[in-house]
Amino acid sequence: MALNELRVKRGQLAEQMKALHEKTHAEARAMTADESAEFDRLDAAQDELRATIERAEKADKLAAELEEVRGTRAGGRDRGEAAPADEARAAYARAFRTWVRRGTDEMTAEDRAILRSGFDPESRALTVGTGSSGGYTLAQDFSNQLDVAMKAFGGMLEAADIIDTDTGAALPWPTMTDVAQTGALLGENTQVSNQDVSFGVVQLDAYKYSSKQILVPVELLQDSAFNVDGFVSGALAERLGRITNTHFTTGTGTSQPNGVVTAATLGVTGATGSTLDVKYANLVDLIHSVDPGYRRGPKVRFMMHDSSLAVIRKIVDSQGRPLWQAGLTGGAPDTILGYPFTINQDMAVMAANAKSILFGDFSKYKIRRVKAVTMLRLVERYADYHQVGFLGFMRADGDLIDAGTHPITYYKNSAT
């Protein structure tokens, strides 16, 4: 089915959901059991279509980017002839696959040189790997695969601002606030007064994370039909993605990243009785608890657990219109009260005193990563089991850059 047809079909489902909302609102009653079941069925169907549309759009975008890369880097080559960057990327993939399956002993000198230098046709910026011990940094292609997988398990890499650095040295981020000060009206021949500016600093460190060991039977490594490099990179990404997303969300800031929930400021507390829900007025107040300057930011959005989104999808405004709106045009996100949202399963589910919804400019949350993931291949250690161990390491930190004007605030469910 064509993309436009999928969008039209999803729009029809959204209209049916809206009609159910409007009917119950007009009759001033709650949904019946049958109506609630029908709403949930429509919701599940449109959600499945949304995922299908996003995959199709992503595939189209990737195909267009690859065409652009081929056209840009080919530099006048005949159609179908590989550009140098494509050839280098393919060479790295082959060398990496050989290393994963057979180790350094069966690699050619050329393959070893490719892995030691890393693949970056623009700058060759990756560090030298320690081939003798089986350790290599992942090339850009594989690092991108890790990023995609980690986003799927998280949400913070999608929403936050990511900074990649070449070293793990402490990274100070200066802050400044002067919002309480104004200029002054002067009379003639009057001397100006002094008013200092208040500076601060947020320091981003480089905490080390490991994927733990992944053991792969040698039989699988020897099977050329098995996509073992895809398996290894996927498993590494899932493990690293889960732990880092948890810390970027709820980390304490002591010997680990300062999570966005930990660093955010209270925006709204639900009224008594709102332990498991949120009201329309609460969401409006949460939006306006963030300064208008931040509400125009590049990554302003809501963030919540999927179960909280299910609650919000059933809320209507005073005119019976759902607060959640499906994004039906190409690339347009679904919105809540006009703002996009990110699902993060490390956010708290709604419960007494839970900090269940965030809102603000997530570009102010900085995730610092040091170079690429380093992966080790452990052969002798598990030889008696006829297995090879793989182990990934990454270094990262995260914190909210808040100079005192609170770019991200949270909704807190009531205590009772």
Side-chain angles (χ1 to χ4, degrees):
M1 190 179 295
L3 260 176
N4 285 340
E5 294 177 13
L6 291 171
R7 294 188 184 109
V8 169
K9 188 173 181 180
R10 187 175 181 230
Q12 292 170 345
L13 293 173
E15 286 299 321
Q16 294 177 55
M17 293 170 65
K18 182 179 178 181
L20 276 175
H21 271 304
E22 291 175 341
K23 179 182 178 182
T24 55
H25 179 76
E27 297 173 3
R29 61 176 177 82
M31 288 185 182
T32 65
D34 288 342
E35 288 171 334
S36 182
E38 175 65 6
F39 181 90
D40 291 341
R41 184 191 68 79
L42 293 169
D43 189 24
Q46 73 78 27
D47 207 30
E48 184 176 345
L49 279 174
R50 175 191 59 76
T52 301
I53 291 168
E54 287 179 352
R55 286 194 295 268
E57 289 174 341
K58 187 173 183 179
D60 287 349
K61 181 180 178 182
L62 180 59
E65 288 176 351
L66 289 174
E67 275 303 313
E68 182 179 353
V69 167
R70 291 191 184 104
T72 301
R73 294 184 177 178
R77 291 169 175 261
D78 293 334
R79 181 173 299 220
E81 186 178 353
D86 297 328
E87 294 171 351
R89 183 177 290 107
Y92 188 97
R94 286 193 300 270
F96 183 79
R97 190 171 294 112
T98 300
W99 175 73
V100 169
R101 288 179 172 146
R102 300 181 179 89
T104 56
D105 291 342
E106 297 188 35
M107 292 174 61
T108 66
E110 181 182 0
D111 285 343
R112 290 193 186 96
I114 290 172
L115 286 186
R116 286 194 181 107
S117 64
F119 169 67
D120 185 343
E122 304 300 331
S123 63
R124 295 277 180 178
L126 293 180
T127 58
V128 174
T130 54
S132 60
S133 61
Y136 288 100
T137 53
L138 295 181
Q140 189 64 43
D141 287 32
F142 290 95
S143 295
N144 288 342
Q145 291 177 26
L146 292 179
D147 281 348
V148 170
M150 282 191 270
K151 286 180 182 178
F153 283 99
M156 288 303 298
L157 286 182
E158 171 192 341
D161 186 36
I162 299 173
I163 305 162
D164 291 316
T165 60
D166 289 331
T167 74
L171 179 63
W173 196 286
T175 64
M176 185 274 287
T177 180
D178 199 43
V179 296
Q181 307 304 325
T182 65
L185 179 65
L186 293 179
E188 188 175 357
N189 298 322
T190 302
Q191 185 180 19
V192 299
S193 59
N194 295 325
Q195 179 62 60
D196 293 334
V197 174
S198 177
F199 287 96
V201 66
V202 173
Q203 179 170 300
L204 296 175
D205 295 311
Y207 299 109
K208 183 187 289 188
Y209 291 91
S210 92
S211 63
K212 299 183 180 178
Q213 297 174 50
I214 300 169
L215 299 178
V216 182
V218 171
E219 289 83 355
L220 290 182
L221 295 174
Q222 293 173 340
D223 184 0
S224 61
F226 180 73
N227 184 17
V228 68
D229 52 316
F231 161 77
V232 170
S233 62
L236 283 169
E238 290 178 20
R239 294 180 177 188
L240 292 171
R242 287 189 182 104
I243 181 64
T244 55
N245 192 80
T246 298
H247 285 174
F248 294 151
T249 306
T250 58
T252 63
T254 302
S255 300
Q256 61 182 248
N258 196 28
V260 65
V261 175
T262 308
T265 303
L266 174 64
V268 179
T269 300
T272 300
S274 292
T275 56
L276 300 176
D277 63 13
V278 59
K279 308 301 184 188
Y280 167 63
N282 295 147
L283 292 173
V284 173
D285 289 341
L286 182 62
I287 290 172
H288 288 274
S289 69
V290 174
D291 188 89
Y294 290 123
R295 298 206 301 267
R296 296 191 295 268
K299 288 193 172 183
V300 61
R301 64 188 56 230
F302 289 98
M303 180 176 282
M304 66 197 74
H305 191 277
D306 187 62
S307 62
S308 299
L309 177 62
V311 172
I312 292 174
R313 277 183 167 175
K314 298 177 182 179
I315 301 176
V316 297
D317 64 14
S318 59
Q319 304 300 313
R321 296 169 298 192
L323 306 189
W324 168 83
Q325 293 292 327
L328 301 178
T329 59
D334 296 349
T335 59
I336 297 171
L337 289 173
Y339 291 97
F341 57 85
T342 295
I343 298 301
N344 181 348
Q345 295 299 82
D346 282 312
M347 290 286 296
V349 299
M350 290 192 176
N353 290 319
K355 300 176 182 179
S356 56
I357 303 173
L358 295 173
F359 178 80
D361 183 2
F362 279 78
S363 70
K364 298 301 179 182
Y365 189 87
K366 307 295 181 181
I367 292 177
R368 184 269 184 96
R369 304 183 302 188
V370 181
K371 281 194 176 291
V373 174
T374 301
M375 191 166 75
L376 301 181
R377 189 179 193 275
L378 310 176
V379 181
E380 284 124 0
R381 183 173 180 181
Y382 302 101
D384 52 335
Y385 292 98
H386 208 215
Q387 295 175 330
V388 175
F390 293 92
L391 178 60
F393 293 98
M394 69 176 291
R395 300 168 70 194
D397 192 11
D399 205 343
L400 180 65
I401 307 302
D402 184 355
T405 48
H406 314 314
I408 299 177
T409 61
Y410 62 83
Y411 167 74
K412 183 178 179 181
N413 292 88
S414 64
T416 56

